[in-house]
Amino acid sequence: MSGWKQWAVDCVAALFGHPSDTALLKYLVGAAGRRARSVERHLACCPRCRRKLESFRLTLAQVERIWAEPETQMPGTLMIDWRQIEGRLAAPPADPPFELQKRLLGNAASDPRYADSRFEVLRVLLGGRALLMNAPAHGEKPLI
Amino acid sequence: MNFFGPFRSGGAIPAGIPEQAAAAGLIASCIVFEIVAMVAILLWLWNGDPRLVDFWFRQVGGPLLVGYAVIEWAAAARVLQWFQPGEPMRRPWLLLTAAGATHMTSLLFRHWLGQPLASNPLLLWPEGRDWIPLCAEFGRRLGGTLYLALLAAGLGFALRVHGRLKLLSPPGRKGWAVLVTAAALYAYTLISLVYWLQHPRPNRNALWWMGWLTDPLLAALLVLALLLVRSTEPLSGGLLARPWRAYQMALLLTCAGSFFAGLADSGVVSSSWLWPGWLAWHPASALFALAPVWQLEACRVSVRAFGEAQAR
């Protein structure tokens, strides 16, 4: 979205009281510029937008983790192609293997101490039969 | 029913019981039972009439315990089918399935055939009434010895597997404190045994020896429960931790219930103060049944996710 269109969308959103999704995202990563203060004021009195910001924060953390690109690793300094980010946010679950690992293994899924043994833990505790169906074909990444 | 069917492996995994519905049913039935039991106990304490308490715990609570044990055995037998011979977790689940079958049998004898219930088939037979106390005693001994031994063996082997996967961290300060307390209780039991052996009693028969085994087995299960807490810590928040957490909670409740039962037997405390112990057995049985149900759910989640990924 070009600059003036974004500005118009933000103006309309401001008229209706809530900042746009893009404005919230920019605020989240510290790229909102002069709008940051008004967004902050709005967030102080709007639980709906605070919830939305929190969900964006979680999604963005996921995006950062999965697409470990240099510009998405340091919030606040990143250069954002908004269409790209919005496309990613709208995409289906970013990393099904990780999500499933998290669902099955809990904390151990994201604990680096168990990084080497995650598949072994699943294979043993879940049974080879459950994981047999999950065998990767032609060098693909296994689901879990 | 093909009793040995669930113990076979290698065949197709049957379409499972709806685990989520089973888990929800177990939890809901237990909550409803406990609420009504609490009301009945309060009424008993208020007006001194024990009929409602007696009806609720004997006529409803007994069959409910049997139902929980049937689910425990059936779910554990289905979990066993997910493990091929030679896999590390097959032996623990085999023992836990056998423990489930023993639990079911013991509760059938103790709370159905061993009680003068309207549904007890022994009452249809003229001499059957004489068998009722015998059935109750058999169920009590089976549940107090063989069931606990199989459960301890199954959980012990499961803990060994957790240890090999480096999930079992050494106990912390609190853990050691509780383990030392359990060891002290265990030592006390041994000392009391030596004391009783020095004083000859006329009724020291095989049943007395079997009854003595219950306390050491419960102490061992308490230690296992504490170690299970530690082994599931890295997995907390995931589906694979839930079965072992359920076993751990069930063991703690069983130990608490046995403690109250011991107080009742010793006669130290008035029976009107022992009602909290009555409320421990149903949640414990429901948790013993929930553990394999939750393990089944974890297995099916992984397979379902694979199917969805294939479809994409």
Side-chain angles (χ1 to χ4, degrees), chain B residues 23-65:
Chain B
L26 281 167
I27 294 168
S29 64
C30 188
I31 289 172
V32 169
F33 179 85
E34 293 288 289
I35 289 170
V36 178
M38 197 67 215
V39 171
I41 288 168
L42 287 174
L43 282 174
W44 167 60
L45 292 174
W46 185 49
N47 62 16
D49 184 1
R51 277 181 300 177
L52 184 58
V53 173
D54 189 61
F55 168 80
W56 189 248
F57 277 92
R58 206 183 287 268
Q59 303 287 340
V60 180
L64 193 63
L65 283 176

Side-chain angles (χ1 to χ4, degrees), chain B residues 247-272:
Chain B
Y247 273 124
Q248 166 225 327
M249 291 301 298
L251 289 177
L252 291 177
L253 283 169
T254 305
C255 288
S258 298
F259 174 72
F260 277 98
L263 283 181
D265 287 345
S266 64
V268 176
V269 184
S270 160
S271 63
S272 60

Side-chain angles (χ1 to χ4, degrees), chain B residues 18 34 53 58 65 107 110 121 131 143 158 161 192-193 208 218 228 230 242 247 255 302 304:
Chain B
E34 293 288 289
V53 173
R58 206 183 287 268
L65 283 176
L107 289 176
R110 189 174 172 185
W131 285 79
V161 173
S192 65
L193 175 75
W208 186 87
L218 278 172
L228 272 176
R230 298 204 69 76
R242 289 199 305 179
Y247 273 124
C255 288
S302 72
R304 204 180 305 129

Side-chain angles (χ1 to χ4, degrees), chain B residues 27-238:
Chain B
I27 294 168
S29 64
C30 188
I31 289 172
V32 169
F33 179 85
E34 293 288 289
I35 289 170
V36 178
M38 197 67 215
V39 171
I41 288 168
L42 287 174
L43 282 174
W44 167 60
L45 292 174
W46 185 49
N47 62 16
D49 184 1
R51 277 181 300 177
L52 184 58
V53 173
D54 189 61
F55 168 80
W56 189 248
F57 277 92
R58 206 183 287 268
Q59 303 287 340
V60 180
L64 193 63
L65 283 176
V66 176
Y68 288 159
V70 171
I71 294 175
E72 178 191 348
W73 169 73
R78 281 185 189 276
V79 170
L80 186 63
Q81 289 176 301
W82 288 87
F83 295 93
Q84 301 281 17
E87 284 195 56
M89 285 303 284
R90 184 168 169 82
R91 190 188 288 174
W93 279 112
L94 184 63
L95 285 163
L96 291 172
T97 307
T102 314
H103 196 200
M104 183 177 66
T105 312
S106 101
L107 289 176
L108 264 173
F109 273 91
R110 189 174 172 185
H111 290 290
W112 188 45
L113 296 175
Q115 296 290 334
L117 302 176
S119 58
N120 189 342
L122 288 177
L123 293 177
L124 300 173
W125 180 35
E127 293 164 0
R129 195 172 281 276
D130 301 339
W131 285 79
I132 287 177
L134 193 66
C135 286
E137 189 60 25
F138 175 71
R140 196 173 295 121
R141 296 298 170 186
L142 198 64
T145 51
L146 185 60
Y147 169 57
L148 297 181
L150 286 169
L151 198 61
L155 293 176
F157 278 115
L159 262 179
R160 197 170 72 157
V161 173
H162 279 83
R164 283 181 181 168
L165 291 170
K166 297 187 173 32
L167 293 171
L168 183 59
S169 54
R173 203 174 291 170
K174 280 184 192 168
W176 275 117
V178 183
L179 284 175
V180 167
T181 312
L185 284 172
Y186 193 72
Y188 171 76
T189 314
L190 286 175
I191 291 166
S192 65
L193 175 75
V194 172
Y195 174 79
W196 284 114
L197 284 177
Q198 288 167 350
H199 295 76
R201 292 172 71 182
N203 58 347
R204 194 179 294 152
N205 50 18
L207 280 179
W208 186 87
W209 282 104
M210 280 178 74
W212 181 83
L213 276 175
T214 305
D215 286 341
L217 281 170
L218 278 172
L221 283 168
L222 187 63
V223 173
L224 283 173
L226 295 169
L227 294 174
L228 272 176
V229 177
R230 298 204 69 76
S231 73
T232 51
E233 260 172 20
L235 303 174
S236 62

Side-chain angles (χ1 to χ4, degrees), chain A residues 92 96 100 102-109 114 117 120-131 133-135 143-144, chain B residues 10-11 13 81-84 87 89 161 165-166 234-240 295 298-299 301-303 305-306 309 312:
Chain A
L100 186 56
K102 180 80 190 150
R103 207 169 155 198
L104 290 167
L105 286 176
N107 292 343
Y114 301 99
S117 60
E120 182 64 7
V121 171
L122 281 169
R123 191 184 68 75
V124 171
L125 294 186
L126 213 51
R129 239 176 144 179
L131 292 195
M133 302 174 208
N134 187 32
L143 187 62
I144 42 182
Chain B
I13 293 166
Q81 289 176 301
W82 288 87
F83 295 93
Q84 301 281 17
E87 284 195 56
M89 285 303 284
V161 173
L165 291 170
K166 297 187 173 32
L235 303 174
S236 62
L239 294 178
L240 281 173
Q295 173 73 26
C299 292
V301 161
S302 72
V303 173
F306 173 73
R312 273 205 291 271

